[in-house]
Amino acid sequence: MQKQIKFIPIDYDYFDFKGENYAKIIGRDSDGKKVCIIDSCDVYFWAILKEGVSAKKEKEICEKIDKIKTKTKGRETRVIKTDVHDKKYLGRSVRGIKIFITNYKDAYAIAEQIGFKEVDKRREYDLSYITKYIMDKKVKPLVWYSVSGEVLNNSMEFGGIDASMDIDVIKVEKIEELEEKEQKDFKPRILAYDIETDEFEIGKGEILMISLVGEGFRKVLTWKGEKAKEKYVEHFKDEEEMLEKFVEYVKSYDPDILTGYFSDGFDLPYLRARAEAVRIKLGLGIDGSQPSFSRGRMLTGKIKGILHIDLLKFIRNVYSQYLQSETLSLNDVALELLGEKKDEWEHRHSSKVHGNEWDDYFKYNLKDSDLTLRLAEKIWPDMLEFVRIVQEPLFDLSRDTMATSVENYLIHHMDKFNEIVEKRPVHEEIGTRRGEEKYEGAFVFQPIPGLYDDVVFFDFTSMYASVIVSYNLSKANYSEEKVKGSLEVDLGREKAYFSDRTSFFPEMLGEIIEKRKKYKKEYALKKDNLAKARSNAFKLLANAAYGYQGFFGARYYCLPAAAATAALARKEIKKTIDFIEKKGYKVVYGDTDSIAFLQSGKSKKDILDLLEGINKKLPGIMELDLEGFFKRGIWVTKRTGEFGAKKKYALIGDDGKIKIRGFETVRRDWCGLARETQNKVLELILKNGDEVKAVSYLKDVLNKLKDRKIDLKQLIIKTQLKKPIEDYKSISPHVSIASKMRKAGIQVGIGMLIEYYIAEIEGGKKRALVREKAKMPSEKGKYDIEYYLNNQILPAVENILEVFGIKVSELADGKKQMSLGDY
DNA sequence: GACTGAACTATACC
DNA sequence: ACGGGTATAGTTCAGTC
């Protein structure tokens, strides 16, 4: 039966049939019905010929290639045909033999057989079939298409693939992107899930309960506890029955997206492991298949026909730079983005949960899914726009790092440049790259400590990206040797040269910056979520482009380009600082792309004129922007030496808003009391313009500390465990506490925030190490007044009050209490 | 055992 | 293995006297 539908691709998969590859795409039609389409594309890679190969020779080589075949794993793959094209490779014109083969999986095996001396390079054998398919057919994820083709209905085509799926399967004959005006909204059907277990280790304990939350759908499935009060709780005989019902509910809800928080690493593998343990099939897939897991460094869980998303990964890789929260835990992220916390639940073994306590446990479990769903909905516009721009399927994109997304953006936009895609670095190459010496990075201005009135901040917009674009700093432009007309950049140890013709990397980056500007304006005009998400996506790509060229795993890795970007950025900011100083202003600070200077009685218009004057002289697309006017700003000295400390300052805007950078206040590895005290001291100084109130506040805190009136909660220090306990060469307090916790049977893992406080030890040595005094929050003890005074509170405020000539450090010895008592 | 500088470690800034 | 370098600052560790 023939059919024509409107279709939006959501989840991409592929399969082999009779030795050839097919894309199998799950999506929705305009009625919201789930549909699967099957399509295929040419499978090919490139052999780039050396310069000066004759037409006759070209033909001979093609004839030889035409005969190549390979037999592996019970399949035979052969070359279908070859033809020769004029292509570009790293911006240079080349002759490329396009080699069509029957199965992409053997692209590498075939490429290996093409070692003729006339062939310079073989490329694009390392792109995934899905990527190739999207590149070639332009069937982009989350974009609406018109599809016509045959509905497979119990046909034997593709070995009866349609019979295993209870949705329409269409074999594509024609697929066309709908025009922009026909591109309507798409709101996916999302289902969030979360499990609770006794054991943290995957599959070790039983799953006690599973929560599921979707639109108008809230369930907690369990086989524990008494009959619950709430009707969202459903009881089952045992774990097996609960798991079966879970599968049934997921299938009947029919989500596009199944999402969890850390679900790649915990919930999904746990479910799979427990299903195995109770000998049932976790047939979540549209064809009844079980979730599969890739064996990378990180687990990745895939379900056929349902897009499984681990929200934590997208948040960590893409979204986290917008976040202020101290950790990326569901609790912290939900609090920041939704203004809501997880429910309170004191974790304990299920044998210690009694009676109606289970109701709280169920509620807690439900809330996790509830928060996860709402986070997913909140972040959806960002995922949607990012996918549409980068053009990789959401399953991969949501797990990719920014470097990978930059690369995928390049790959999917390369056809415009007729470029053959560079290969991914192989193992040894990565080793060499990682071994390369670091290059000099950003310039940071040495501040002069003090409290200043009326501070102006300028900053360069997308500075590194605009430097790359303005000077064509990329692998395709780079040469070691001086070339006529090329730009010479002094990298200290060596010189690098960049041709002045543009190339795909800077050109695409220029477009990204342009689009960012365009959508930022669009968003300013109408506050639309999608416009904001689009603008953000381009901003993220622009900001990641510099790091990409210096990243060892990049196809277009070019360390000299990265080094030159930093070098030229240093040059421009220094020039700008000089210019501002020549105009009579006093520059007090600057870091990488920002400059702070004193307004010194000049009008705002004077400042804007100054800005305009600078912008007129900046090269290429570089641009300086006004970040803001601040009523006051404070810079302090380093703890050692009298110089001003870099990356540490606090400002108060004309609107009274306070901005603090680098101070202990914003560092999570300082105790709450030190952070709060410092924050308050900074606030009082910035608001009042003097230290009087700040000192009296400090005095109050010190007295409370000495009188043991401080709540232990305020004294807890949190430090992250960054590697396995055994790998530490130096046993600092948090490592010592971590091993203590492990001995006490508490699960300790990499990434965990270890909490402790410093206590007095009885009759101990005079000079005990800090770690010997560290205790777990649950351990009884008297907090060490001396420690908190000398190692937390005083260091946090010392340099700030020093700006006013107050030597707070002498108080620590108890010698000169009067200097504070005076206030 | 006291002292000191280097090494190790975590976290921030842009 | 899954962006980059710059910077501050605490604690431990190893060497010296």
Side-chain angles (χ1 to χ4, degrees), chain A residues 181-195:
Chain A
K181 60 177 193 296
E182 287 186 88
Q183 290 291 339
K184 26 182 195 92
D185 256 9
F186 174 65
K187 207 170 158 253
R189 213 168 145 72
I190 307 176
L191 185 63
Y193 73 114
D194 180 58
I195 65 168

Side-chain angles (χ1 to χ4, degrees), chain A residues 454-575:
Chain A
D454 301 322
V455 182
V456 187
F457 259 79
F458 283 167
D459 62 9
F460 288 91
T461 40
S462 300
M463 191 192 210
Y464 280 25
S466 71
V467 169
I468 292 169
V469 175
S470 301
Y471 292 103
N472 301 310
L473 307 175
S474 80
K475 182 169 179 171
N477 293 86
Y478 169 68
S479 70
E480 281 177 68
E481 310 279 310
K482 188 165 190 154
V483 184
K484 209 178 158 199
S486 66
L487 168 79
E488 180 180 295
V489 185
D490 192 347
L491 303 181
R493 210 171 292 103
E494 51 176 16
K495 285 184 167 61
Y497 302 90
F498 297 90
S499 60
D500 65 349
R501 63 182 156 79
T502 184
S503 69
F504 64 90
F505 191 93
E507 199 163 316
M508 274 193 233
L509 187 53
E511 280 171 21
I512 288 170
I513 294 171
E514 276 304 308
K515 284 180 178 160
R516 150 76 173 157
K517 271 191 200 157
K518 183 182 156 198
Y519 292 118
K520 197 180 170 186
K521 267 187 205 155
E522 213 171 285
Y523 174 64
L525 287 175
K526 59 169 188 155
K527 300 272 177 191
D528 165 48
N529 272 348
L530 284 183
K532 184 182 184 183
R534 197 170 298 163
S535 149
N536 276 343
F538 283 114
K539 182 185 174 182
L540 285 167
L541 285 173
N543 288 344
Y546 156 73
Y548 172 78
Q549 294 201 99
F551 166 49
F552 54 76
R555 288 173 193 261
Y556 293 102
Y557 174 79
C558 184
L559 206 60
T565 307
L568 291 166
R570 285 196 302 274
K571 196 173 119 190
E572 290 304 331
I573 194 172
K574 284 181 191 167
K575 249 168 60 183

Side-chain angles (χ1 to χ4, degrees), chain A residues 369-384:
Chain A
S369 286
D370 183 42
L371 292 174
T372 304
L373 175 75
R374 282 152 60 206
L375 274 181
E377 285 170 346
K378 171 121 191 171
I379 291 172
W380 171 251
D382 297 275
M383 293 198 281
L384 174 68

Side-chain angles (χ1 to χ4, degrees), chain A residues 279-291:
Chain A
R279 300 210 168 87
I280 62 157
K281 196 175 169 192
L282 200 71
L284 290 166
I286 197 161
D287 54 357
S289 62
Q290 306 207 69

Side-chain angles (χ1 to χ4, degrees), chain A residues 54 93 121-122 130 154 290 317 486 510 626 657 693 786:
Chain A
S54 69
S93 294
K121 294 187 163 69
R122 293 150 294 181
I130 294 300
N154 292 324
Q290 306 207 69
N317 295 337
S486 66
L626 173 73
K657 250 176 99 178
K693 284 187 177 158
E786 285 286 303

Side-chain angles (χ1 to χ4, degrees), chain A residues 759-768:
Chain A
E760 286 176 356
I761 45 173
E762 317 82 50
K765 294 171 277 183
K766 268 186 200 160
R767 298 177 59 86

Side-chain angles (χ1 to χ4, degrees), chain A residues 17 151 199 472 596 605 737 818:
Chain A
F17 183 65
V151 180
E199 299 284 342
N472 301 310
K605 186 180 175 299
I737 292 294
M818 285 312 288

